[in-house]
Amino acid sequence: MGPKTRILDATMLVFRRHGFRRSSIEQVAEAAGLTRQALYHHFESKEALFRAVIERVHESAIAAEETAVAEAETAGGNLGDILAAGMTARMSTMIASLDGSPHLEELYSEHLVHARDLYQTYAARYAERMVATISRTVRKHQLALPQELSPAEFARLVEMSVYASKSQYPAMQPADAFLKDMAIMVRTLCAGALQKSSPKSQKPLIKKAAIRAKPTRSKIGGRP
């Protein structure tokens, strides 16, 4: 294990125990088994440490989401299965990173204060991946999204459903209830995506309708 990994492991441990405001460089250095000067060689401040662990959590969440989506696709899941699996993996990874901390709400709020740019960057990356997943699944299963929404518009609604779930569960706790309700909301949205009718199945109906509509010779003045 390299010194940077050891420092980030120690940083996460300290922040979980003490929250952001009561944590210090000295506590992190002690937990990492380093001197304060050695730690400063890698990170210039407590805020820099905090940003580094936030970035690490997001990268882990992206990797977990991609793995879950790939597994659901390989298993032949529908759109709801695939998106619910991906979102559950993403949020579970984030929750696990701070599991057991009595300072969850403080850490989440400080996240937006000290790393809002990271939050926005990763929000865009999550959205980009979800749009790609929806587009791929729609093509594969020949789906029509509800209200003729584009994959990007539908992805935005899915993300909004996650934020709605968060509003009912401060700091995403209790985690099991939050994840369950979030998955239900995602699946409910996806239930509106229906399989497109194939042109082959429509062709005989069109021919039949045309035959019925064809006027007889007697009605147009011809001989019976």
Side-chain angles (χ1 to χ4, degrees):
M1 181 189 298
K4 204 161 188 178
T5 299
R6 193 161 80 246
I7 290 170
L8 292 180
D9 287 345
T11 301
M12 183 61 76
L13 179 65
V14 169
F15 285 145
R16 284 168 64 176
R17 285 179 178 173
H18 306 290
F20 176 80
R21 300 184 190 102
R22 294 185 179 183
S23 294
S24 66
I25 288 285
E26 290 79 9
Q27 290 170 329
V28 174
E30 182 179 356
L34 299 170
T35 64
R36 180 174 176 174
Q37 289 72 24
L39 190 149
Y40 274 127
H41 178 71
H42 297 280
F43 296 96
E44 63 183 9
S45 65
K46 182 174 75 171
E47 289 74 19
L49 282 167
F50 192 52
R51 287 175 60 86
V53 294
I54 288 171
E55 191 168 8
R56 186 197 215 187
V57 169
H58 281 301
E59 288 294 337
S60 296
I62 284 176
E65 182 174 14
E66 288 181 342
T67 298
V69 164
E71 290 176 350
E73 289 180 340
T74 300
N78 59 31
L79 183 61
D81 295 332
I82 293 168
L83 294 187
M87 294 302 300
T88 298
R90 182 208 301 182
M91 303 312 297
S92 294
T93 300
M94 291 183 173
I95 292 169
S97 67
L98 299 174
D99 187 38
S101 173
H103 306 285
L104 285 174
E105 292 190 26
E106 178 199 337
L107 291 169
Y108 283 128
S109 64
E110 293 295 335
H111 168 202
L112 296 177
V113 172
H114 297 285
R116 182 173 291 276
D117 60 320
L118 286 178
Y119 173 82
Q120 293 171 339
T121 296
Y122 280 101
R125 289 181 62 184
Y126 291 129
E128 180 182 347
R129 280 162 171 74
M130 183 176 291
V131 171
T133 298
I134 293 170
S135 299
R136 189 168 59 247
T137 306
V138 164
R139 286 195 304 270
K140 180 178 179 180
H141 296 280
Q142 290 296 295
L143 299 176
L145 294 173
Q147 303 296 315
E148 299 183 351
L149 294 170
S150 68
E153 291 167 333
F154 192 74
R156 179 171 174 271
L157 290 181
V158 173
E159 292 287 359
M160 287 173 65
S161 74
V162 176
Y163 295 136
S165 298
K166 285 182 181 179
S167 71
Q168 298 299 310
Y169 295 93
M172 297 183 283
Q173 297 295 318
D176 288 346
F178 163 72
L179 293 171
K180 180 181 178 181
D181 281 358
M182 180 195 68
I184 289 172
M185 291 186 71
V186 171
R187 289 179 184 278
T188 300
L189 277 174
C190 292
L194 303 176
Q195 192 163 22
K196 295 177 181 178
S197 300
S198 72
K200 290 183 179 179
S201 65
Q202 292 179 356
K203 197 171 182 181
L205 295 176
I206 294 172
K207 283 186 174 181
K208 192 173 182 180
I211 291 171
R212 287 177 179 171
K214 187 176 180 180
T216 63
R217 294 179 65 185
S218 61
K219 288 184 179 179
I220 59 174
R223 294 181 180 179

